[in-house]
Amino acid sequence: MRPEPVEGFRPAQPAEDVHGDVSVDRLALADELAGTAADGSTAVASADAAEYAMRLGDDALVLAQQLGMWIARAPELEEDVALGNIALDLIGHARSLLHYAGTASGRSEDDLAYWRDEPEFRNAWLFEQPNGDFGHTIARQLAASVYLFELYSRLVDSTDPTLAAIAAKSVKEVDYHRDHATQWVLRLAGGTEESRRRMLLAIADTWPYVDELFVDDALVERLAATGVAVLPSTLRPAFDAVIDEVFAEAVLERPTGRTAFIASGGGRAGSHTEHIGPLLAEMQVLARAHPGASW
Amino acid sequence: MTSPADLSVVDPELSVEEARFNDLIAADSRIEPRDWMPDAYRKTLIRQISQHANSEIIGMQPESNWITRAPSLKRKAILMAKVQDEAGHGLYLYSAAQTLGITREEMTEQLIAGKARYSSIFNYTTPTWADMGAIGWLVDGAAICNQVPLCRASYGPYGRAMVRICKEESFHQRQGFEILLELMQGTEAQREMAQDAVNRWYWPSLMMFGPPDDQSPNSAQSMAWNIKRFSNDELRQRFVGMLVPQAEVMGVTLPDPNLRFNEETGEYDMSEIDWTEFNEVLAGRGPANAERLRRRREAHEDGAWVREAAHEYARKQSERALAAAGAVA
Ligand SMILES: [Fe+2]
Ligand SMILES: [Fe+2]
């Protein structure tokens, strides 16, 4: 998709006329989607690759939706900006991934985001866990961004060129997200007694959702065999190593034992926790009130 | 040593610093933080810049209201970027105000205590998606007309902050225009939504330029100091001149039956502005005054433990660094 010029929009007068040192920018409103060719076209995904892209796209979308709620509510203005940046990056990833996923079934990114119901969403449970206090958001950010970084750093070598291109763009951004989360874990764990108490609680509440990220199933096994996908289980050692390093510096222990992910199949199979229902209802309400409308 | 000839050119009432300040203003040069400046100039700037910063920060709220419900992913991304820009504007302006000797904590305290002003426009509510279009087109549009001349404000840090801000505001106005244009080209319900939002935001946006020139007591001094460059009415005229052709392109009607270009005066004739509502909102009785302040206070208080943690962590880190340096020495 390319930005279309808006006809009829013009600044009131040439910038030089009154203002001297400012010109009115003509900025592109829509970023080009990663993984599309120069003419805006995207390769058509196989059914398996589409399902895989939908998993990754839903992870990014659901997390972005939650982080967006912090804007104008963050503990300081710098965090309104930082969390907003992270949410924006994730929306960009979601758009590229869902756009690609939709090519297999003739659906757009918005068809997928706004017109699927809860059981059709494929995100892992971690991403739909609520913001909680800032500590919970940071704990979720740490697990999510370390996982996404390991994933995208390997997916850049995917035999599927579209996925490889999306991963190449995303990996640099999630590297920043990882750094942001790490800095805050250190500050909260090493700050005041109160912040340390909250950080410990947040990690204990969040970690049961980590195991699900690394579960292999038939789909990823098929895709990994042809080099399209990364087998989630292979990411675990690197994930744990990074987390251990952060936790060592923050004097925290990695929780073990409890896992929320059980035989239901989890988010990848369309089974979700109770949090996603209200989240989707809010996200989709306006679009669904105007079927067929464009915005 | 000073010769009698030198003395004769200096007004004996004027200090050397004050004469230099006047010269800088007369030459339309920048005043910088270390330069001497009259107290009243400093106070005027602190008031104006902190009000402006507060407006950016409170202004995030009416639009953040729609981030979670934006009707397409592209619109969601653009809206997030916009609200995030406003936080950035708040930060640039706080920095500019800080160079005048007020702290960010003081400005924040004044804001959440309800003692500091912010632009009344943000006390209106955003019941529909079309409000995202109307705010961008009209509110950011009015802000641009007000602010672009401030890029040349005599106080250097303020002028430079405004250059960065204005570049982003022009993008905001354009995205607002695009939202409305898309709605006007959409379904009947979408067109109604767009027109309704324009009806609600048009007059409040005209009021953003402040009272008519003959009732604006502070303007003259600000213009003499090169803080303000154009009068309220001049800016309002310029704004309407910008809106009219754009409204035509979109097919929205500006809700003023008397609005027309007067060939003789070269200006737009328009209906008398009804200031009663504006004064009500200004006096704190707008649709969302209490809500905006409550929300800001809540965010500030909920975040206190996080800011304290960051502060404490930084303190411990520098203590450790000092101890390490001591051990080496
Ligand atoms: Fe702004
Ligand atoms: Fe703006």
Side-chain angles (χ1 to χ4, degrees):
Chain A
M1 188 192 286
R2 274 162 302 165
E4 325 90 65
V6 180
E7 273 174 39
F9 186 90
R10 52 192 172 253
Q13 38 245 311
E16 295 72 36
D17 170 340
V18 246
H19 315 314
D21 43 5
V22 165
S23 62
V24 177
D25 295 350
R26 294 191 63 89
L27 292 173
L29 285 182
D31 265 348
E32 294 205 28
L33 298 171
T36 55
D39 66 357
S41 67
T42 308
V44 173
S46 69
D48 274 359
E51 177 72 12
Y52 183 63
M54 202 175 326
R55 291 180 179 186
L56 308 190
D58 286 348
D59 286 350
L61 175 58
V62 168
L63 188 56
Q65 176 73 3
Q66 307 233 56
L67 292 176
M69 296 178 200
W70 275 108
I71 303 176
R73 282 194 179 83
E76 53 190 21
L77 278 176
E78 284 83 351
E79 281 308 298
D80 284 309
V81 175
L83 293 171
N85 259 330
I86 295 170
L88 263 173
D89 290 343
L90 290 166
I91 279 283
H93 307 167
R95 289 185 62 198
S96 299
L97 288 159
L98 293 179
H99 175 75
Y100 185 47
T103 57
S105 53
R107 288 179 289 177
S108 70
E109 53 178 277
D110 288 333
D111 290 338
L112 291 176
Y114 291 92
W115 297 91
R116 279 180 303 152
D117 292 331
E118 178 177 329
E120 297 162 275
F121 269 76
R122 291 290 180 265
N123 60 285
W125 289 1
L126 173 75
F127 300 95
E128 68 195 41
Q129 295 315 299
N131 282 342
D133 69 2
F134 188 72
H136 281 82
T137 289
I138 290 301
R140 191 186 62 202
Q141 272 310 104
L142 181 71
S145 59
V146 172
Y147 158 74
L148 289 171
F149 179 79
E150 296 305 328
L151 170 63
Y152 289 138
S153 357
R154 286 163 182 73
L155 201 59
V156 295
D157 298 323
S158 171
T159 52
D160 180 319
T162 306
L163 289 175
I166 295 172
K169 178 174 186 289
S170 309
V171 70
K172 295 176 215 125
E173 294 170 347
V174 294
D175 191 19
Y176 160 74
H177 306 175
R178 200 170 64 141
D179 186 54
H180 172 266
T182 302
Q183 294 310 316
W184 273 113
V185 168
L186 296 180
R187 287 190 196 111
L188 298 182
T192 62
E193 247 176 68
E194 166 77 353
S195 69
R196 183 168 179 83
R197 182 188 68 75
R198 288 182 187 245
M199 194 68 245
L200 287 169
L201 180 64
I203 286 166
D205 288 346
T206 303
W207 240 251
Y209 300 98
V210 165
D211 284 350
E212 183 189 3
L213 302 173
F214 304 101
V215 172
D216 300 337
D217 64 4
L219 175 83
V220 287
E221 278 163 4
R222 277 199 307 277
L223 287 170
T226 53
V228 171
V230 180
L231 217 47
S233 59
T234 62
L235 301 171
R236 188 71 198 243
F239 174 89
D240 283 343
V242 175
I243 294 293
D244 284 347
E245 215 177 295
V246 176
F247 281 9
E249 196 177 342
V251 200
L252 296 166
E253 265 171 47
R254 175 151 57 89
T256 46
R258 262 179 76 218
T259 173
F261 174 71
I262 39 166
S264 73
R268 305 304 188 203
S271 147
H272 290 279
T273 62
E274 288 176 350
H275 304 295
I276 201 173
L279 181 143
L280 294 182
E282 184 174 4
M283 183 173 86
Q284 298 172 336
V285 62
L286 176 61
R288 289 192 174 201
H290 299 266
S294 91
W295 303 92
Chain B
M1 252 185 79
T2 316
S3 70
D6 287 334
L7 280 173
S8 69
V9 296
V10 179
D11 178 343
E13 301 289 302
L14 229 52
S15 69
V16 180
E17 292 99 343
E18 193 165 3
R20 183 169 174 272
F21 173 85
N22 289 347
D23 288 347
L24 285 172
I25 295 286
D28 207 356
S29 299
R30 296 272 210 212
I31 308 296
E32 295 299 335
R34 276 185 219 161
D35 293 334
W36 181 91
M37 62 190 85
D39 262 358
Y41 176 85
R42 184 186 297 274
K43 272 192 197 134
T44 300
L45 279 167
I46 288 180
R47 198 190 57 224
Q48 180 169 336
I49 300 172
S50 65
Q51 269 180 27
H52 189 167
N54 293 338
S55 303
E56 300 283 357
I57 292 158
I58 295 289
M60 294 166 73
Q61 289 184 33
E63 290 182 288
S64 70
N65 180 24
W66 281 93
I67 289 177
T68 54
R69 293 176 292 165
S72 76
L73 296 185
K74 178 179 130 184
R75 291 283 166 221
K76 189 191 286 291
I78 294 170
L79 185 61
M80 271 185 189
K82 188 195 170 195
V83 180
Q84 188 211 27
D85 281 350
E86 307 299 4
H89 298 174
L91 283 171
Y92 304 159
L93 288 163
Y94 273 159
S95 304
Q98 281 166 344
T99 64
L100 291 158
I102 185 167
T103 66
R104 187 160 146 188
E105 290 70 30
E106 284 172 292
M107 289 183 274
T108 304
E109 283 307 322
Q110 288 171 1
L111 175 62
I112 62 177
K115 286 182 197 149
R117 286 251 158 101
Y118 57 87
S119 178
S120 280
I121 194 86
F122 300 119
N123 290 323
Y124 291 88
T125 56
T126 52
T128 77
W129 169 253
D131 292 320
M132 300 304 98
I135 289 185
W137 185 48
L138 295 170
V139 176
D140 287 89
I144 292 170
C145 290
N146 261 332
Q147 293 174 5
V148 167
L150 293 175
C151 296
R152 293 193 294 133
S154 55
Y155 188 58
Y158 190 30
R160 287 188 289 272
M162 291 315 302
V163 171
R164 298 173 72 180
I165 289 174
C166 285
K167 285 190 179 155
E168 294 176 352
E169 298 296 2
S170 65
F171 172 56
H172 296 171
Q173 196 205 8
R174 181 169 157 199
Q175 64 85 31
F177 175 87
E178 225 204 35
I179 288 175
L180 290 176
L181 183 69
E182 190 85 44
L183 291 174
M184 289 306 291
Q185 292 171 350
T187 65
E188 184 62 34
Q190 285 178 304
R191 278 196 297 277
E192 276 171 23
M193 196 193 279
Q195 182 63 57
D196 165 68
V198 170
N199 291 350
R200 282 182 289 111
W201 290 93
Y202 176 74
W203 289 108
S205 73
L206 291 192
M207 296 178 203
M208 285 173 70
F209 297 95
D213 293 346
D214 52 8
Q215 296 160 37
S216 183
N218 294 325
S219 288
Q221 178 63 76
S222 281
M223 288 180 80
W225 275 333
N226 295 345
I227 296 174
K228 198 173 162 66
R229 299 278 179 170
F230 299 96
S231 77
N232 296 351
D233 287 331
E234 280 171 336
L235 291 169
R236 200 168 3 244
Q237 276 290 331
R238 176 168 297 163
F239 178 55
V240 171
M242 176 180 78
L243 294 184
V244 168
Q246 292 179 2
E248 264 165 38
V249 170
M250 283 191 274
V252 292
T253 308
L254 297 174
D256 180 359
N258 297 314
L259 182 66
R260 66 181 56 83
F261 191 70
N262 184 328
E263 296 288 348
E264 274 166 42
T265 60
E267 298 203 326
Y268 281 90
D269 293 336
M270 48 183 111
S271 303
E272 189 91 24
I273 294 178
D274 176 7
W275 292 96
T276 4
E277 182 188 274
F278 178 81
N279 290 329
E280 281 288 293
V281 178
L282 201 63
R285 292 186 287 272
N289 293 56
E291 167 64 19
R292 299 286 181 248
L293 274 191
R294 187 186 58 75
R295 162 95 172 261
R296 182 87 306 260
R297 195 180 308 121
E298 240 172 52
H300 186 73
E301 285 166 6
D302 289 351
W305 70 272
V306 177
R307 294 190 303 275
E308 278 157 25
H311 189 259
E312 185 59 14
Y313 179 74
R315 194 191 60 77
K316 287 180 190 167
Q317 287 293 95
S318 66
E319 234 175 52
R320 259 175 235 139
L322 273 178
V328 171

